Structure formats: structure tokens, C-alpha cells
């Protein structure tokens, strides 16, 4: 490209959508800059995916040690050095951040620290001072936690998940408002760390968007760990006192109420797109249902301005944002792109057991009047699961009644977040149930449960 601008591409935001788009743009020969107002790497790297998985690894080790007596091994955990636990988490984040910074330097991508706001069709202003120009702009500013009226986080007693991750003190009682992926993972981590956990969810089940049968198995497993769970429940009358946080919960089905006290309240009620103060209104960029409105190529109504990740109405997942960033760059360079099938994007929850899924849930198939067959296979029938005593789990596959193509799959159990990809590949390539059932799997393996289930179909 003939460069009459400072850059060929400016990206606002360095999270998965932003930094993946930047690396793809550099690969395609575009002079690229990334503007970041907070920590380089975005929420996923600094206060989301990566730090939580480091803590989950430690939590798994704690629970694993507690089960060693089943194997005839006695181990006494006298104390846990949480300073080291959290230092391990910080080391993982810093190492990945250094690696990403190295890739940016190697690919000659400029990192600009500051707040970026679109000032004109080809111009971004940094910190309301410095103006830089570009042929194209990608908005990838991500999302932030949803706020709840009357419940204001203070980084002491009322917290967001990133507040917990920054503090290595472990509350004796932790109440979690919201039974989504973040809430469940925090519940799992802090239960292992010794907290008394209570999850409060307004909907009828945890993970309201996931398949009900698979979620019910996960719910039973979490209760076995000693995690208290209240669904169809809302929280009212939150008051901070010297003795803790005083509040009332109300069951919306039977109208019963209970008074409770907790040391810490984690607000985990979903996320909202970060699209304020970046020039959206001034530029007339279209917004629909609080998300930036884009077409199938991630273009806004201004053809050289794109948006990817949590700011658009697509799955709020790091891997979805990364793919969208790549696709936006492909369209900028070639004016064509392979469309992303959002029905094939996996969802994953890293509790014990894990949960993963993609495609249709059974509830959706029923509501859309799509004819299907479902196949259920419990982990207790899987040789590897029985040998390792990981029998809490269920695989559910939904198959088109006419074509035998997989419409959706949902699994909770050991290695669920890894196993799910075999089923996604099968759906992507339109393999029929009998085709996948005929693939010989190593014995004993957890993934063998797929072959065993589909033989039934």
C-alpha cells in the first residue's frame, strides 16, 4: 500500500482481538500501531483467562492431594503459602506478556500507551493531545464487569474478579453473585483455598445458556465439594458493616427469604462492552443493543472502521475475539474472507469437572422445532474415568434426525475442554455420527467416550 498516512492500521485495544489482528496485519505487510490505555495484553492476559488458569492449576493440585488417601497415600497439607501461589500466577502473566511484547517488536508493531479516541474517519487522538492517522481502524476495546444498582465494589469487601486476583488474602466466607463461567471458576478456586463459598444465581440453573442436563451434573459435583448454590435467587438489602457484609436473599419461586452475612461479596453478573469515550457517538458509528453494529466482515457503517471482540454482539470469548481480529484484517487486505460460524465456537468452564459445549442446546432445538436425537454417555461407563476415579461426568450429543450430522455437543467431566474439539471438527466437516463412531480411539482414553456414545446413535 502507498502510505500517505502514519499507519495502514491502528487498533484500539491490545486484548486477544487487538493483538491477534496486529500480528496478522504485520504478516500482511501493514504498518500497524496498537493503542492500550490499561495493561498490555488486555483482560484475558492480565486479569482473566491466564491468571485464573494458573490459580485453577493450584486448586486442582489441592483437591488432588485431598483424594490421595483413596490411592493409599497419606499427605497432610499443613499450610499453603498463598504469597507463592499468587506469585506463580503473576510469573505466568509476565512471561506471556514478555513473549507478546517480543513478537510486537520483532514484527515492528508500535505499542502506544494511552487512551485512544477516534477523532475523524482516518484519525485517532491519543490522550486528547497527539493525533495519528491511518487508512483503517479496528476497535477492540473489550468489556468490563456489569454493575448492579446498590452494590458498589470497593476493592475491599465488595469485589470484581480482578480485585480477587490482585489480593492474596483468602476470605473466610465468600459469596458470589452470578453463576456464570467466571463465578464458577472463582468458586472452585477459593473453595480449594479454604473459603466457605455460596453462589447466588437469579436464573433457574447455573450457566443459564448451557444445556440443562450437563449443567445439572456439574452442579451436583460442585455441591459435593461443599459449595453452596442458590438458583432462582436474588440479593437485596446489601449493607457493609464492621462484621462483614449483611444482605438478604429471596427465592423468586417460593418467595422465601433468608438473612446472611459474608466477609466478601464477588460481583460476577456478566460483562458489558467498553465503547464509551472512544469517539463512537461523535463519529456516528452505529450501535445496536449496546454493541457496535458490524456486518459479516466486521465493518461498521463507516467502511474503514472495524470492530471485533466483546464490543460487538458475538460470543464474549477470547478465542472468538482473536478469530474476528484475523478475519477483519483479511478483509482489509483482500476484500474477502471466510465467514466464522459462531455456532462452532467452543465454550469452556474450567471447574472440576470441566464443562464445554458448542452448537445447539436441546432447549434451542425444541424451541426451533428442529427434529433431533440425543445421545447420553456417562463417564462412569468410560474405562479411563473409572481407572482414575473421575466418574462425575456426562457427554450429550445432539444429532440431526435426518442427516445424522452433529447439531451440538455438551460435556462435563475430566478433560471436557480438550475433548470437545474432536466433535467440533466432526461438525465442521459434516461427518455423520456413524463416521465418527467408526474412528478407532486409543483405549483407555477419555475421548473414547465419543466413539462409545456415537455407536449408540
Amino acid at each position: 500500500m502507498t502510505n500517505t498516512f502514519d499507519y495502514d492500521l491502528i487498533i484500539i485495544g491490545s486484548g486477544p482481538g487487538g493483538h491477534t489482528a496486529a500480528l496478522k496485519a504485520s504478516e500482511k505487510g501493514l504498518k500497524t500501531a496498537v493503542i492500550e490505555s490499561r495493561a498490555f495484553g488486555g483482560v484475558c492476559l492480565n486479569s482473566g483467562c491466564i491468571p485464573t488458569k494458573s490459580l485453577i492449576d493450584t486448586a486442582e493440585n489441592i483437591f488432588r492431594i485431598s483424594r490421595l488417601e483413596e490411592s493409599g497415600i497419606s499427605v497432610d497439607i499443613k499450610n499453603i503459602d498463598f504469597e507463592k501461589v499468587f506469585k506463580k500466577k503473576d510469573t505466568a502473566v509476565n512471561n506471556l506478556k514478555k513473549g507478546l511484547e517480543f513478537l510486537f517488536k520483532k514484527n515492528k508493531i508500535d505499542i502506544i500507551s494511552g487512551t485512544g479516541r477516534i477523532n475523524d474517519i482516518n484519525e485517532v487522538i491519543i490522550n486528547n493531545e497527539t493525533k495519528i492517522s491511518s487508512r483503517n481502524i479496528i476497535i477492540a476495546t473489550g468489556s468490563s464487569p456489569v454493575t448492579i444498582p446498590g452494590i458498589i465494589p470497593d476493592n475491599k469487601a465488595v469485589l470484581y474478579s480482578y480485585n480477587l486476583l490482585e489480593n492474596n488474602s483468602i476470605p473466610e466466607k465468600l459469596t458470589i453473585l452470578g453463576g456464570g463461567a467466571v463465578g464458577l471458576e472463582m468458586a472452585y478456586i477459593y473453595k480449594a483455598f479454604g473459603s466457605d463459598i455460596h453462589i447466588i444465581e437469579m436464573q433457574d440453573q447455573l450457566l443459564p445458556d448451557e444445556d440443562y442436563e450437563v449443567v445439572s451434573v456439574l452442579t451436583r459435583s460442585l455441591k459435593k465439594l461443599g459449595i453452596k448454590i442458590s438458583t432462582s435467587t436474588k440479593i437485596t438489602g446489601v449493607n457493609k458493616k464492621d462484621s462483614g457484609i449483611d444482605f438478604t436473599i429471596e427465592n423468586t419461586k417460593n418467595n422465601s427469604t433468608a438473612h446472611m452475612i459474608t466477609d466478601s461479596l464477588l460481583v460476577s453478573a456478566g460483562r458489558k462492552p467498553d465503547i464509551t469515550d472512544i469517539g463512537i457517538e461523535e463519529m456516528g458509528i452505529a450501535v445496536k443493543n449496546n454493541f457496535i453494529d458490524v456486518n459479516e466482515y466486521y465493518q461498521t457503517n463507516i467502511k474503514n472502521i472495524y470492530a471485533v471482540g466483546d464490543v460487538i454482539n458475538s460470543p464474549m470469548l477470547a478465542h472468538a475475539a482473536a478469530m474476528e481480529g484475523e478475519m477483519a484484517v483479511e478483509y482489509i487486505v483482500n476484500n474477502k474472507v471466510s465467514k466464522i460460524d459462531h455456532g462452532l465456537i467452543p465454550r469452556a468452564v474450567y471447574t472440576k469437572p470441566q464443562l464445554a459445549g458448542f452448537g445447539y442446546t436441546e432447549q434451542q432445538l425444541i424451541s426451533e422445532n428442529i427434529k433431533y436425537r440425543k445421545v447420553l454417555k456417562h463417564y462412569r461407563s468410560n474405562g479411563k474415568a473409572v481407572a482414575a476415579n473421575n466418574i462425575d461426568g456426562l457427554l450429550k450429543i445432539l444429532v440431526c434426525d435426518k442427516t445424522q450430522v452433529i447439531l451440538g455437543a455438551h460435556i462435563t467431566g475430566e478433560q471436557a475442554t480438550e475433548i470437545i474439539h474432536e466433535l467440533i471438527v466432526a461438525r465442521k466437516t459434516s461427518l455423520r455420527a456413524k463416521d465418527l463412531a467408526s474412528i478407532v480411539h486409543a483405549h483407555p482414553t477419555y475421548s473414547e467416550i465419543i466413539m462409545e456414545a456415537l455407536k449408540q446413535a
Side-chain angles (χ1 to χ4, degrees):
M1 290 183 177
T2 303
N3 194 358
T4 58
F5 299 95
D6 297 321
Y7 295 96
D8 296 313
L9 176 62
I10 290 174
I11 301 167
I12 307 176
S14 67
H19 73 244
T20 304
L23 292 167
K24 187 71 172 181
S26 176
E27 175 190 316
K28 296 292 184 179
L30 305 185
K31 185 179 180 184
T32 303
V34 173
I35 303 166
E36 178 55 67
S37 62
R38 291 172 288 191
F40 179 67
V43 170
C44 176
L45 176 54
N46 292 281
S47 57
C49 320
I50 301 305
T52 55
K53 301 314 165 286
S54 175
L55 295 181
I56 283 172
D57 175 67
T58 301
E60 286 180 346
N61 286 332
I62 292 170
F63 282 125
R64 195 174 291 118
I65 289 171
S66 68
R67 291 179 55 195
L68 283 177
E69 284 196 10
E70 299 169 8
S71 302
I73 303 170
S74 296
V75 178
D76 182 17
I77 305 178
K78 293 183 178 179
N79 58 71
I80 300 173
D81 188 337
F82 286 108
E83 186 174 337
K84 286 186 178 180
V85 169
F86 281 76
K87 185 176 180 181
K88 168 178 169 278
K89 176 259 299 180
D90 293 337
T91 299
V93 170
N94 291 333
N95 286 345
L96 286 170
K97 191 181 296 187
K98 287 176 184 177
L100 186 57
E101 288 171 343
F102 171 78
L103 285 175
F104 267 50
K105 185 176 181 180
K106 179 182 176 182
N107 288 278
K108 300 179 180 178
I109 301 167
D110 290 342
I111 303 172
I112 302 172
S113 296
T115 300
R117 179 169 55 81
I118 301 171
N119 198 49
D120 200 351
I121 189 169
N122 294 107
E123 185 177 85
V124 176
I125 186 168
I126 313 297
N127 296 332
N128 292 320
E129 296 175 354
T130 307
K131 296 177 181 179
I132 55 176
S133 61
S134 177
R135 287 182 176 275
N136 298 284
I137 298 167
I138 294 179
I139 301 167
T141 45
S143 62
S144 56
V146 168
T147 56
I148 299 176
I151 304 177
I152 302 172
D154 57 8
N155 198 14
K156 294 179 182 178
V158 182
L159 309 161
Y160 286 132
S161 59
Y162 59 82
N163 299 134
L164 270 179
L165 294 172
E166 292 167 356
N167 190 347
N168 61 13
S169 63
I170 310 303
E172 184 176 340
K173 291 183 179 180
L174 175 63
T175 300
I176 299 175
L177 186 54
V182 173
L184 296 195
E185 289 180 5
M186 287 299 184
Y188 177 70
I189 291 167
Y190 281 85
K191 182 61 183 177
F193 290 175
S195 296
D196 183 13
I197 305 292
H198 189 170
I199 302 171
I200 298 172
E201 169 58 50
M202 286 189 67
Q203 301 298 318
D204 292 344
Q205 67 172 48
L206 301 177
L207 302 169
D209 295 330
E210 298 297 338
D211 193 276
Y212 72 100
E213 284 187 284
V214 170
V215 170
S216 67
V217 173
L218 175 60
T219 301
R220 287 197 300 270
S221 296
L222 294 176
K223 286 181 177 179
K224 281 184 184 178
L225 293 178
I227 295 171
K228 294 188 258 326
I229 297 170
S230 297
T231 54
S232 302
T233 301
K234 63 181 181 180
I235 184 171
T236 58
V238 177
N239 294 302
K240 299 175 190 175
K241 297 183 177 181
D242 292 340
S243 58
I245 302 173
D246 190 298
F247 62 96
T248 300
I249 59 171
E250 178 184 346
N251 186 290
T252 55
K253 283 190 171 181
N254 59 26
N255 295 322
S256 63
T257 61
H259 175 258
M260 304 190 72
I261 296 175
T262 190
D263 297 318
S264 298
L265 178 64
L266 171 63
V267 180
S268 181
R271 300 185 68 82
K272 60 182 179 181
D274 281 338
I275 58 174
T276 57
D277 300 324
I278 57 172
I280 299 293
E281 299 87 354
E282 295 85 347
M283 290 297 299
I285 293 173
V287 174
K288 185 177 180 181
N289 297 326
N290 298 319
F291 292 95
I292 295 176
D293 196 22
V294 295
N295 64 15
E296 58 191 335
Y297 308 115
Y298 304 100
Q299 279 179 308
T300 68
N301 56 308
I302 300 175
K303 67 178 184 180
N304 71 308
I305 299 178
Y306 298 74
V308 301
D310 289 3
V311 297
I312 67 173
N313 194 9
S314 73
M316 283 186 162
L317 299 167
H319 42 286
M323 183 61 73
E324 290 160 1
E326 286 197 10
M327 295 299 100
V329 171
E330 284 285 356
Y331 188 75
I332 288 169
V333 174
N334 298 315
N335 285 330
K336 61 180 181 179
V337 67
S338 300
K339 298 174 187 176
I340 300 173
D341 184 346
H342 285 93
L344 297 183
I345 294 175
R347 303 176 301 278
V349 183
Y350 297 85
T351 46
K352 179 80 170 182
Q354 296 176 352
L355 182 143
F358 80 94
Y360 283 99
T361 64
E362 188 172 3
Q363 299 98 302
Q364 290 170 333
L365 291 174
I366 292 170
S367 67
E368 295 184 27
N369 199 28
I370 297 173
K371 293 184 178 179
Y372 69 96
R373 283 183 292 158
K374 70 176 177 181
V375 184
L376 299 176
K377 198 72 175 176
H378 289 270
Y379 264 55
R380 59 177 175 265
S381 68
N382 176 267
K384 180 65 177 291
V386 173
N389 196 19
N390 286 316
I391 59 173
D392 288 341
L394 173 68
L395 169 64
K396 181 174 185 176
I397 305 176
L398 302 164
V399 180
C400 177
D401 204 25
K402 183 177 180 180
T403 64
Q404 279 203 16
V405 170
I406 295 169
L407 298 171
H410 311 275
I411 181 170
T412 186
E414 191 73 14
Q415 299 297 316
T417 59
E418 305 290 341
I419 294 170
I420 196 68
H421 297 97
E422 180 179 342
L423 289 156
I424 294 174
V425 170
R427 176 65 184 88
K428 175 73 173 176
T429 55
S430 297
L431 283 178
R432 295 168 297 173
K434 67 178 184 179
D435 297 324
L436 194 54
S438 69
I439 297 174
V440 178
H441 289 63
H443 177 74
T445 56
Y446 289 109
S447 61
E448 201 175 7
I449 197 171
I450 294 172
M451 177 187 70
E452 295 164 348
L454 288 176
K455 281 182 178 179
Q456 298 174 195

